[in-house]
C-alpha cells in the first residue's frame, strides 16, 4: 500500500512510501530519507502531480503512540497556507526536535494526577456572571472575550471554566505571553485547582519536554500552561483554549517560522471545534473589531479586588520644574515620592530602556559607539561594564583610542534604568532599591527578589516594561513614568496601541489592595493626545477612535499586510535583486506592492535589509498567489527572503 508521509523539513508536500503495515492518517512512522532515518506522520493527501521517477522506499516502522488527530492535521495544513510556511516546517512545530516520543509509562505522571479539591475561593457575583457567559459546557467552537480591569480576578473565572472541562475528561491549554510569569502563576493555579499543571516553554529540560509531550499525546496530562509553542502540542482530547493577555504582542513569533500564536490558537480551536477564551484588560484592535462585529462574544469584569479603584493620574510639567544637568527626576517628583514612602507605599520608577545610557560619544573625536553588525547604537551597561547591541548581542568594552590624542573621553547621553537607579540611590540613600529588567530578572535569584518586592522589603523599583507583565505587587502604590515623551516616538503602525496597552498594564500594577495609588507622568509635551488617551478610564474610547483611523487609511484589521524582507551582504546587489523581484511578482500577486525600501534597521547581524509590503484583501488568495510566484523566483546564493504575514513590527 502507498502512503503519503510528511517529514519535518522544508518541503511543502508529503513523500510517497510503501508499507505492509496497517497505517492510518496521523500515525507516526520512521522512514528512510536520503541516507538517514526520519520520523514522519501519515498525512491526509498525496503529493500533487509529481513526475519524479524513482523507487518508492518502504516505511521502516510505526511508532507506539496515539496518532495525530485529523483536525490537527487540517489545522497544520491551513497554518502552512496562511503563514506561507512549508507544511513540513509546520509539522516540525509539533514534533520534539523532529521526533515523536513513544509512550512513557510509570510514576512520572503521578505528579500531574488531577485531584480537584474543593477550594475556599468563592467567585463574586460578577465573576459568576462572566463564567455563565463563557458557557464552556457547550463544547462547540466560539470565541469569547473576558475583558476585565487589572486586578479584577479574571484568572479565577477561567480557572473555574477549566475545572468544568477537565472534570468531563478533556484537556485544557492556557497560553501565557511571558515565561517569567509561570512561577507566580503556577502557584495560583495549584491554590485554586489543587493539582499541578504541566508548564511548557523553551527553557525546560529535554527530559521534561519528552515527559510532557508524551503525557499530552496520551492524555495523561490534563492541563498545560505554556508559552506560544505549546499551541503545537499533540493534544489527544483538547477541550478548551485560554489565551491570557491576548493583546500582548509577544504572541507574535518574529524569527524563524513567523506566526501570531493568539490568531493561530483561534484557528486551532476552530478546526478542533472547541471553545476558546481571550482574556484581557484592554483588547487588541483586532479583537475589539471582532467584538464590535459580533463575531466574538464578550463579558466584562469591572470591579477590582477589594473594590480597589484604579490609580489616579498626575502630570508633572517639566517646563515648570527644571531638571538639573544629568538628572531625570524632578524636585516635584521627589516631594511626591517622599509622601508615598512615608506611607510605606512601594515606588516604581518606570523607564522602558535597559542599561545605563543608550548613546555613548567621545568628546574629543566625536565618534559614537555603534554596532559593527547593525545600524544601531550600542547601549552602555554599566553594571556589566560593557557596550551591548540589543539586536544582535554584540559586546565590546568601553575602551577606545582617538587617532593620536590617546584614550577617548566619553560622554553618556540619555538615561537607561541603571542610570535612573544611580540617581534614585543618591536622592533616597536610605532606601532599598532594585532594577527590574530582563537583565536582572532572568536569573535563578529572581524569585528571591520577587519575594522581597511582594513583602515590601524593597522600597523602590526601577523597571522596564517587563514589570507590566502581570506581576502582583501588593504594596506598589506609586508609579513615576520618568519620560513619557520617549515612548511616543517610533515608526510603528501600532505605536499608539502599544502605548495604550503598556501604560494600562503598568497602572494595573498599582493600588491592587485598596490603598489609593497614583501614576505620575513627567513630560515636556503637555499637548500629547497620548497622555489623555492612556489616562482615560475607558480604554474603549481610544480603541474606537483608533479603529476609525485604521478604517479610513485602509490599515489592518481592514486589510491584510504581508511583509517581505530580503537580506544579503552586498548592498548594491541586494537593491538590484529587490527591484527585479518586485517586477517578477507584481502582476501575479493579489494585492498592491509597496517598496522596495531600506528597512529602518537597514543593517542587522551583518546583513543589509530591504522591505516590501503587500497590501491586499483579507483572503487566503493573497497568500496563495504570493506563495506560487515566490517559488519560481531564484534568489542568488547568500540572499534570503523572509515572509511575515500580519507583521507587528516594521523594523
Ligand atoms: Zn548588533
Ligand atoms: Zn575619541
Amino acid at each position: 500500500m502507498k502512503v503519503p508521509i510528511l517529514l519535518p523539513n522544508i518541503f511543502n508536500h508529503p513523500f510517497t512510501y510503501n508499507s505492509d503495515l496497517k497505517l492510518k492518517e496521523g500515525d507516526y512512522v520512521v522512514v528512510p530519507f536520503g541516507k538517514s532515518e526520519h520520523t514522519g506522520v501519515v498525512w491526509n493527501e498525496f503529493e500533487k502531480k509529481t513526475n519524479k521517477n524513482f523507487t518508492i522506499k518502504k516505511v521502516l516502522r510505526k511508532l507506539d503512540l496515539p496518532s495525530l488527530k485529523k483536525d490537527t492535521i487540517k489545522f497544520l495544513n491551513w497554518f502552512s497556507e496562511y503563514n506561507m510556511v512549508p507544511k513540513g516546517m509546520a509539522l516540525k512545530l509539533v514534533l520534539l526536535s523532529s521526533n515523536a516520543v513513544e509512550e512513557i509509562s510509570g510514576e512520572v505522571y503521578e505528579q500531574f494526577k488531577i485531584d480537584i479539591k474543593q477550594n475556599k475561593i468563592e467567585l463574586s457575583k460578577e465573576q459568576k456572571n462572566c463564567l455563565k457567559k463563557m458557557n464552556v459546557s457547550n463544547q462547540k467552537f466560539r470565541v469569547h472575550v473576558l475583558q476585565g480591569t487589572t486586578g479584577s480576578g479574571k484568572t479565577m473565572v477561567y480557572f473555574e471554566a477549566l475545572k468544568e472541562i477537565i472534570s468531563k475528561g478533556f484537556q485544557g491549554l492556557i497560553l501565557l505571553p511571558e515565561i517569567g510569569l509561570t512561577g507566580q502563576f503556577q502557584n495560583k493555579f495549584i491554590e485554586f485547582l489543587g493539582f499541578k499543571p504541566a508548564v511548557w516553554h523553551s527553557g525546560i529540560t529535554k527530559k521534561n519536554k519528552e515527559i510532557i509531550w508524551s503525557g499530552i499525546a496520551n492524555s495523561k496530562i490534563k492541563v498545560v500552561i505554556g508559552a506560544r509553542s505549546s499551541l503545537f502540542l499533540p493534544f489527544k482530547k483538547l477541550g478548551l483554549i485560554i489565551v491570557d493577555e491576548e493583546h500582548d504582542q509577544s504572541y507574535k513569533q518574529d524569527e524563524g517560522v513567523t506566526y501570531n500564536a493568539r490568531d493561530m490558537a483561534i484557528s486551532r480551536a476552530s478546526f478542533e471545534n472547541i471553545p476558546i477564551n481571550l482574556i484581557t484588560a484592554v483588547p487588541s484592535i483586532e479583537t475589539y473589531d471582532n467584538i464590535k462585529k459580533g463575531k466574538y462574544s464578550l463579558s466584562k469584569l469591572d470591579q477590582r479586588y477589594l473594590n480597589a479603584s484604579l490609580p489616579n493620574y498626575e502630570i508633572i510639567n517639566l517646563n515648570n520644574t527644571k531638571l538639573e544637568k544629568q538628572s531625570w527626576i524632578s524636585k516635584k517628583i521627589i516631594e511626591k515620592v517622599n509622601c508615598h514612602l512615608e506611607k510605606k507605599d512601594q515606588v516604581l520608577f518606570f523607564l522602558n530602556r535597559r542599561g545605563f545610557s543608550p548613546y555613548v560619544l567621545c568628546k574629543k573625536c566625536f565618534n559614537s559607539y555603534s554596532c559593527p553588525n547593525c545600524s544601531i547604537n550600542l547601549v552602555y551597561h554599566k553594571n556589566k561594564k560593557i557596550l551591548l547591541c540589543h539586536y544582535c548581542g554584540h559586546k565590546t568594552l568601553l575602551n577606545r583610542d582617538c587617532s593620536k590624542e590617546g584614550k577617548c573621553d566619553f560622554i553618556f547621553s540619555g538615561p537607561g534604568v541603571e542610570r535612573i537607579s544611580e540617581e534614585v540611590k543618591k536622592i533616597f540613600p536610605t532606601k532599598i532599591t532594585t532594577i527590574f529588567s530582563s537583565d536582572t530578572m532572568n536569573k535563578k535569584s529572581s524569585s528571591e527578589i520577587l519575594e522581597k518586592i511582594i513583602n515590601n522589603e524593597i522600597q523602590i523599583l526601577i523597571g522596564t516594561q517587563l514589570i507590566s507583565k502581570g506581576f502582583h505587587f501588593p504594596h506598589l502604590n506609586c508609579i513615576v513614568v520618568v519620560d513619557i515623551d520617549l515612548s511616543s516616538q517610533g515608526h510603528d503602525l501600532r505605536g499608539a496601541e502599544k502605548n495604550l496597552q503598556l501604560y494600562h498594564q503598568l497602572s494595573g500594577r498599582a493600588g491592587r489592595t485598596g490603598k489609593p495609588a497614583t501614576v505620575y507622568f513627567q513630560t515636556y509635551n503637555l499637548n500629547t493626545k497620548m497622555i489623555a488617551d492612556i489616562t482615560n478610564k475607558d480604554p474603549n474610547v481610544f480603541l474606537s477612535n483608533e479603529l476609525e483611523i485604521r478604517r479610513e487609511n485602509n490599515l489592518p484589521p481592514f486589510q491584510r499586510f504581508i511583509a517581505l524582507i530580503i537580506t544579503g551582504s552586498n548592498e548594491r546587489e541586494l537593491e538590484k535583486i529587490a527591484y527585479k523581484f518586485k517586477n517578477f511578482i507584481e502582476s501575479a500577486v493579489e494585492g498592491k506592492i509597496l517598496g522596495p525600501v531600506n528597512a529602518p534597521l537597514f543593517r542587522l547581524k551583518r546583513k543589509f535589509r530591504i522591505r516590501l509590503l503587500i497590501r491586499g484583501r483579507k483572503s487566503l488568495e493573497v497568500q496563495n498567489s504570493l506563495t506560487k510566484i515566490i517559488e519560481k523566483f531564484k534568489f542568488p546564493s547568500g540572499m534570503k527572503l523572509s515572509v511575515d504575514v500580519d507583521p507587528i513590527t516594521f523594523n
Side-chain angles (χ1 to χ4, degrees), residues 362-367 400-402 407-409:
C362 170
K363 259 192 264 185
K364 294 193 284 188
C365 67
F366 302 112
N367 279 321
R400 194 175 61 183
D401 294 332
C402 293
K407 293 265 171 247
C408 278
D409 188 3

Side-chain angles (χ1 to χ4, degrees), residues 6-12 43 68 72-73 75-81 83-95 232 257 259:
L6 188 68
L7 297 174
N9 56 23
I10 54 157
F11 292 99
N12 195 28
W43 216 242
L68 192 62
T72 314
I73 290 177
F75 162 67
L76 291 173
N77 281 333
W78 179 88
F79 176 93
S80 139
E81 213 178 331
N83 295 296
M84 300 176 62
V85 168
K87 288 195 174 91
M89 294 305 280
L91 176 65
K92 201 173 177 183
L93 295 170
V94 173
L95 298 178
F232 297 94
V257 176
Y259 62 90

Side-chain angles (χ1 to χ4, degrees), residues 41 47 99 125 133 145 247 350 373 428 461 579 600 617 631 649:
V41 172
E47 179 182 3
N99 281 305
K125 206 174 156 203
K133 278 197 185 162
V145 181
H247 58 270
F350 175 80
N373 310 325
F428 309 100
L461 312 171
Y579 277 99
R617 282 180 306 122
E631 271 172 8
T649 49

Side-chain angles (χ1 to χ4, degrees), residues 493 549-559 561 615:
L493 153 74
I549 296 171
R550 302 271 186 99
R551 190 198 313 274
E552 281 164 13
N553 295 292
N554 268 324
L555 297 169
F558 300 97
Q559 280 214 317
F561 276 14
R615 292 175 76 143

Side-chain angles (χ1 to χ4, degrees), residues 50-61:
T50 161
N51 39 25
K52 285 175 231 155
N53 202 0
F54 51 77
T55 36
I56 296 177
K57 291 182 181 170
K58 227 173 143 183
V59 172
L60 297 173
R61 63 188 184 98

Side-chain angles (χ1 to χ4, degrees), residues 98-135:
S98 297
N99 281 305
V101 186
E102 284 182 285
E103 188 160 357
I104 298 173
S105 51
E107 289 132 36
V108 285
Y109 293 105
E110 285 298 311
Q111 55 173 328
F112 299 113
K113 217 170 180 177
I114 48 169
D115 171 24
I116 299 176
K117 296 198 178 77
Q118 211 46 48
N119 59 58
K120 291 175 210 108
I121 307 154
E122 170 102 19
L123 294 189
S124 72
K125 206 174 156 203
E126 206 188 17
Q127 285 171 318
K128 278 183 189 152
N129 276 336
C130 290
L131 183 65
K132 218 170 163 187
K133 278 197 185 162
M134 267 187 186
N135 189 23

